[in-house]
Amino acid sequence: MRDVLPELKKWWEAGDTIGVGTVVATFQSAPRPPGASMLVGEDGTAVGSVSGGCVEGAVYDLAQSVMESGEPVLQRYGVSDDDAFAVGLTCGGILDVYVEKVNQESFPELGDIAADIEAGRPVALATVIEHPDPSWLGRRLVVRPGEDPVGSLGSPRADDAVRDDAMGLLAAGHNATLTYGRDGERRGEGMRVFVWAFAPKPRLLVFGAIDFAAAVARVGAFLGYHVTVCDARPVFATHSRFPEADDVVVDWPHRYLKAEHEAGRIDPRTVVTVLTHDPKFDVPLLEVALRLPEVAYVGAMGSRRTHDDRLARLREAGLSEDELSRLSSPIGLDLGARTPEETAISIAAEIIAGRWGGSGQRLGTTEGRIHGETSPLG
């Protein structure tokens, strides 16, 4: 929903009714992740995508029907269905798409949720997408850290269970469909709840204000990261040299990273790239980074000789082999990169592969599913 939120908010504020289709579960080689949304406006305008083009036509028609009836629909599209190829889903995946009518009357909380998302405040939206009792369908619960939830899914028991799980999804930054008993029982089936977890952007910390860092910052911003460039040298760490970065910080890298961790601004989605390849900067920094269990990725630039020297220094500093095994060095995948931009792509490729469990091999030489199974939290 984040990608289509500006248009959704504009129509909602204008008092329009919108048909919203959202991917709530994926199986096998699904083209879009849970949370991907498509809007259909009153004038027939379509915004967004649920499948990269495979089933948009079918979802468009369903959204128009739901706008008229007001009754939400949970629809599955996939090759296991007789009509799969008729609607165009030929990629081999399966999608569950939840389609609902949205306007100010049916979704009065949207304005406040949009404000939270735009301000970078964490907020989760839980919606009942399947239940034996049709009156539960479409009920919503809005969850914010440190506040009482807004709305209700149908019972205090269900609200408490979903609130706890939504907080976990917010911490991880993942959307997910959760299954409960019909009254929110942890064990059981009957109720499915989709949770949008609108966490702040994941962080990409780029240490070393060099030309490669500028390229990494650009790619990181393109991938949706909140990018910070940090260097102890004020002459190099300037906003004019890194216009795509959200923050440019002048500080010793290890001191900055330690302070950010102590302030609670490092989470399991945080990516650390060390591009200084200077022992006085990168060794103290890596001592801190490799001991942070929350960090998703730590990569360091340098030649193989630099890498070997760096490992020796880190061992002397007391790091264990398990801690050293978390280091991706030399940084990036072997793409034959030469320029800063090409190197940034190789670094981004390694980060993406690590996030989703990709092999980094050419797809043409591999077999099986193109998209791996989505994690339990995603």
Side-chain angles (χ1 to χ4, degrees):
M1 182 187 289
R2 190 190 295 270
D3 292 342
V4 299
L5 183 62
E7 195 71 25
L8 177 60
K9 181 184 177 185
K10 183 180 73 174
W11 285 341
W12 181 86
E13 289 179 337
D16 292 351
T17 293
I18 311 102
V20 181
T22 300
V23 178
V24 296
T26 64
F27 309 91
Q28 300 178 17
S29 186
R32 296 298 305 277
S37 296
M38 174 181 171
L39 312 180
V40 177
E42 289 182 347
D43 61 355
T45 301
V47 177
S49 171
V50 294
S51 68
C54 295
V55 300
E56 262 63 22
V59 174
Y60 180 90
D61 292 340
L62 181 57
Q64 289 189 314
S65 175
V66 168
M67 289 168 67
E68 292 183 10
S69 69
E71 300 297 326
V73 175
L74 179 63
Q75 181 67 49
R76 174 164 292 184
Y77 300 98
V79 294
S80 60
D81 302 328
D82 293 337
D83 295 331
F85 285 87
V87 301
L89 190 62
T90 58
C91 63
I94 299 173
L95 299 175
D96 282 352
V97 180
Y98 179 72
V99 183
E100 60 184 326
K101 180 181 80 171
V102 169
N103 55 31
Q104 292 184 8
E105 181 181 357
S106 68
F107 195 175
E109 307 91 349
L110 178 59
D112 290 338
I113 293 172
D116 286 333
I117 296 170
E118 291 166 356
R121 296 186 293 266
V123 59
L125 171 63
T127 303
V128 178
I129 61 172
E130 188 173 35
H131 198 281
D133 183 348
S135 68
W136 283 55
L137 292 179
R139 292 183 179 180
R140 299 183 178 91
L141 188 74
V142 181
V143 178
R144 297 179 176 90
E147 299 182 20
D148 292 333
V150 176
S152 177
L153 301 179
S155 75
R157 180 174 187 172
D159 293 346
D160 289 344
V162 173
R163 179 186 181 278
D164 290 344
D165 291 339
M167 289 297 295
L169 290 170
L170 270 177
H174 289 291
N175 306 320
T177 292
L178 308 175
T179 301
Y180 305 89
R182 59 187 300 157
D183 193 41
E185 299 91 341
R186 290 288 183 179
R187 295 186 178 183
E189 297 181 350
M191 179 171 69
R192 296 173 71 197
V193 177
F194 183 70
V195 179
W196 280 276
F198 298 107
K201 290 181 179 181
R203 299 190 66 186
L204 169 61
L205 305 181
V206 183
F207 293 100
I210 62 175
D211 51 354
F212 288 93
V216 171
R218 287 195 295 273
V219 173
F222 174 75
L223 292 177
Y225 284 90
H226 181 101
V227 179
T228 299
V229 176
C230 176
D231 197 297
R233 301 165 296 179
V235 68
F236 296 116
T238 64
H239 286 281
S240 61
R241 296 189 68 229
F242 301 96
E244 290 86 358
D246 297 281
D247 306 300
V248 179
V249 176
V250 178
D251 199 351
W252 279 85
H254 71 283
R255 186 168 61 191
Y256 174 75
L257 181 58
K258 183 178 180 181
E260 289 298 285
H261 176 252
E262 292 174 347
R265 290 190 285 265
I266 304 296
D267 67 27
R269 302 173 298 152
T270 301
V271 169
V272 175
T273 59
V274 181
L275 310 183
T276 51
H277 49 82
D278 183 335
K280 69 176 177 290
F281 291 118
D282 58 19
V283 171
L285 170 60
L286 289 170
E287 283 186 59
V288 177
L290 294 174
R291 286 173 170 154
L292 297 180
E294 300 92 344
V295 175
Y297 171 91
V298 180
M301 179 175 282
S303 67
R304 297 196 185 280
R305 177 180 296 178
T306 298
H307 170 66
D308 291 340
D309 176 71
R310 182 187 291 134
L311 287 181
R313 292 173 183 267
L314 290 170
R315 289 189 179 98
E316 290 177 3
L319 270 74
S320 68
E321 294 304 314
D322 284 343
E323 291 168 335
L324 293 175
S325 69
R326 302 179 59 216
L327 175 62
S328 295
S329 176
I331 195 171
L333 297 184
D334 180 11
L335 305 183
R338 293 292 187 272
T339 67
E341 291 73 19
E342 291 174 344
T343 301
I345 294 298
S346 79
I347 294 170
E350 184 176 38
I351 292 169
I352 294 169
R355 178 183 181 187
W356 297 110
S359 67
Q361 301 179 51
R362 296 178 64 184
L363 288 173
T365 65
T366 62
E367 297 180 354
R369 299 169 179 163
I370 294 176
H371 304 284
E373 291 285 0
T374 304
S375 72
L377 292 179

